[in-house]
Amino acid sequence: MANILITSGPTRQYLDPVRYLTNASSGRMGQALAEAALEAGHDVTVVTGPVSIDYPAAATVIAVDTTDEMLNAVLELFPACDGLIGAAAPCDYMPHRISTEKLAKDGQPLELELIETADIVATAAATKKKHQWVVGFALETEDRRFRAIVKMQRKCCDMMVSNGPAAINSLTNDVEILASDGTTLAHVTGSKQVVAAAILKATQLLIRTKS
Amino acid sequence: MANILITSGPTRQYLDPVRYLTNASSGRMGQALAEAALEAGHDVTVVTGPVSIDYPAAATVIAVDTTDEMLNAVLELFPACDGLIGAAAPCDYMPHRISTEKLAKDGQPLELELIETADIVATAAATKKKHQWVVGFALETEDRRFRAIVKMQRKCCDMMVSNGPAAINSLTNDVEILASDGTTLAHVTGSKQVVAAAILKATQLLIRTKS
């Protein structure tokens, strides 16, 4: 039995009190992973951005809004866990300046400087990883496999799930599960439940090796 | 009995296939207005952005994603309606350039030029308004009342509902209902159902005058 930390859903990065940047992540992949992990007898903590789905009652759920909030929750929880599955789609750009008042329109273009938010999986792996295993997700529209392998190395992940934008807010997914040496462990197409079962099956090897 | 068109919920404006600008509008104000209007015996059509609430089964519901899609639906439906209640919070800025591929992070700031989207209520009122009445919403953090009156005139509305950012994704609201001459018809605080009933009561006067 392992203590598994799962990030799930989108995060938001505000321009002002009303407008924000985000993506359509539904949290369904994280939900399916939590269900599969609980079913396999593991303890599950989910750190989730704003979603309209429900997580299993047996999981501990921490709700956050922004990428920084998700990062802080993960950094706090990760050391006491055996592994992390980064299924969230955190908003990865934030406005350099956030307005405390709603920006009033004046008919002119609004020049916005966006800077990258902290990479949650990479930061947790680089700063807090000891015995833990880390499974990352890569969502790309081009060169999916190549970019997923580059991301796996950069983020110090032990396994990577590569998928495309069709995964977002969908009931199904089409993923390639990549081992740390870049080989393909599985190519799975189906409901997010089916995909979650395959990811958890591949993760069991990491659990056995690292626990 | 009137044929009432209600816009509801947020819209999204994409930077690339994954990331978009939006706001946390839940559609609950539009939902409460649809319920109140149906209860008063009116016919209701709702044009809604992506929300996780349900609209009353007796309403005709048109689902859209972006501000342009909402505008096109409203311009098509408005001429056959007796009035429009613009309860949606359309995303009012859009990137000048939309990337067809997911923007890859390179560690550098991303300079984004945002331009204003079309104003749905103002465009419908300016180009298609004949016998119809139009009720607008203004959401402001500063100078709420003054800005709402300016918006009412600019958008050719017959009535304006002024509220603040606390309204967003909340079960309650605190609004001022303003007549076209700038006088306050009502100041209502309570559940969105209570606020919807007050807005519909004020709207009845427009329905009687204009129908």
Side-chain angles (χ1 to χ4, degrees):
Chain A
M1 200 203 71
N3 208 328
I4 303 183
L5 181 60
I6 299 171
T7 67
S8 183
T11 60
R12 298 172 177 175
Q13 294 298 148
Y14 288 83
L15 277 61
D16 65 21
V18 175
R19 303 170 180 102
Y20 56 80
L21 262 176
T22 191
N23 60 73
S25 169
S26 63
R28 285 200 198 96
M29 195 66 242
Q31 179 193 45
L33 284 163
E35 282 164 1
L38 287 164
E39 206 165 293
H42 303 298
D43 279 340
V44 173
T45 302
V46 181
V47 180
T48 182
V51 293
S52 53
I53 53 125
D54 292 316
Y55 293 100
T60 303
V61 178
I62 317 281
V64 298
D65 199 28
T66 66
T67 304
D68 253 15
E69 287 170 18
M70 186 174 276
L71 175 68
N72 291 337
V74 167
L75 292 182
E76 193 183 321
L77 296 162
F78 183 61
C81 290
D82 299 301
L84 165 66
I85 306 180
C91 187
D92 49 6
Y93 278 108
M94 59 187 283
H96 185 52
R97 279 181 301 275
I98 301 171
S99 172
T100 54
E101 295 180 15
K102 186 183 175 195
L103 296 163
K105 294 192 289 180
D106 61 2
Q108 297 303 307
L110 179 65
E111 303 290 340
L112 202 64
E113 189 183 19
L114 299 177
I115 54 175
E116 294 180 11
T117 56
D119 187 309
I120 292 167
V121 167
T123 307
T127 65
K128 306 271 185 184
K129 194 178 172 184
K130 287 183 176 131
H131 66 287
Q132 290 96 342
W133 47 265
V134 175
V135 177
F137 272 68
L139 190 151
E140 301 287 352
T141 52
E142 317 294 313
D143 305 325
R144 277 171 51 174
R145 201 162 177 286
F146 172 74
R147 291 193 187 182
I149 292 170
V150 170
K151 272 193 180 173
M152 175 156 51
Q153 290 169 341
R154 186 171 54 76
K155 296 187 180 204
C156 309
C157 291
D158 302 287
M159 206 169 85
M160 205 75 182
V161 182
S162 161
N163 56 10
I168 297 177
N169 199 22
S170 167
L171 297 173
T172 61
N173 205 347
D174 172 15
V175 310
E176 229 182 326
I177 304 174
L178 303 165
S180 58
D181 63 0
T183 56
T184 301
L185 295 170
H187 187 158
V188 194
T189 304
S191 70
K192 288 192 174 172
Q193 282 70 32
V194 166
V195 170
I199 294 169
L200 212 79
K201 195 180 158 201
T203 306
Q204 291 292 354
L205 192 68
L206 300 175
I207 294 173
R208 278 199 297 275
T209 316
K210 294 230 171 188
S211 293
Chain B
M1 198 203 70
N3 209 327
I4 303 183
L5 181 60
I6 299 172
T7 66
S8 182
T11 60
R12 299 173 175 173
Q13 294 298 148
Y14 288 83
L15 277 61
D16 64 23
V18 175
R19 304 172 180 100
Y20 56 79
L21 264 175
T22 190
N23 61 72
S25 169
S26 63
R28 285 200 197 95
M29 195 65 241
Q31 179 193 44
L33 284 164
E35 282 163 0
L38 286 165
E39 207 166 293
H42 302 298
D43 278 340
V44 173
T45 301
V46 181
V47 179
T48 182
V51 294
S52 53
I53 53 124
D54 292 316
Y55 293 99
T60 303
V61 178
I62 316 282
V64 298
D65 199 28
T66 66
T67 304
D68 253 14
E69 288 170 19
M70 186 173 275
L71 175 67
N72 291 337
V74 166
L75 292 183
E76 193 182 321
L77 296 161
F78 183 60
C81 290
D82 299 302
L84 165 66
I85 306 180
C91 186
D92 49 7
Y93 278 108
M94 60 186 283
H96 184 52
R97 279 180 301 275
I98 301 172
S99 172
T100 54
E101 295 180 15
K102 186 183 174 195
L103 297 162
K105 293 192 291 180
D106 60 3
Q108 297 304 308
L110 180 64
E111 303 289 341
L112 202 64
E113 189 183 21
L114 300 177
I115 54 174
E116 296 180 11
T117 57
D119 187 309
I120 293 167
V121 167
T123 307
T127 64
K128 306 272 185 182
K129 194 177 172 183
K130 287 184 177 130
H131 66 287
Q132 291 96 343
W133 47 266
V134 175
V135 177
F137 272 68
L139 191 151
E140 301 287 350
T141 53
E142 316 294 314
D143 304 325
R144 277 171 53 173
R145 200 162 176 286
F146 171 73
R147 290 193 188 183
I149 291 170
V150 171
K151 273 193 180 175
M152 176 157 50
Q153 289 168 340
R154 187 173 52 77
K155 296 187 181 206
C156 310
C157 290
D158 303 286
M159 206 169 86
M160 205 74 182
V161 182
S162 160
N163 58 9
I168 297 178
N169 199 20
S170 168
L171 296 174
T172 60
N173 205 349
D174 172 17
V175 309
E176 228 182 328
I177 304 174
L178 304 165
S180 58
D181 62 1
T183 56
T184 300
L185 295 171
H187 186 159
V188 193
T189 304
S191 71
K192 287 193 174 171
Q193 282 70 31
V194 166
V195 171
I199 294 169
L200 212 79
K201 194 179 160 203
T203 307
Q204 290 294 353
L205 193 66
L206 299 176
I207 294 173
R208 276 200 296 276
T209 317
K210 293 230 171 188
S211 293

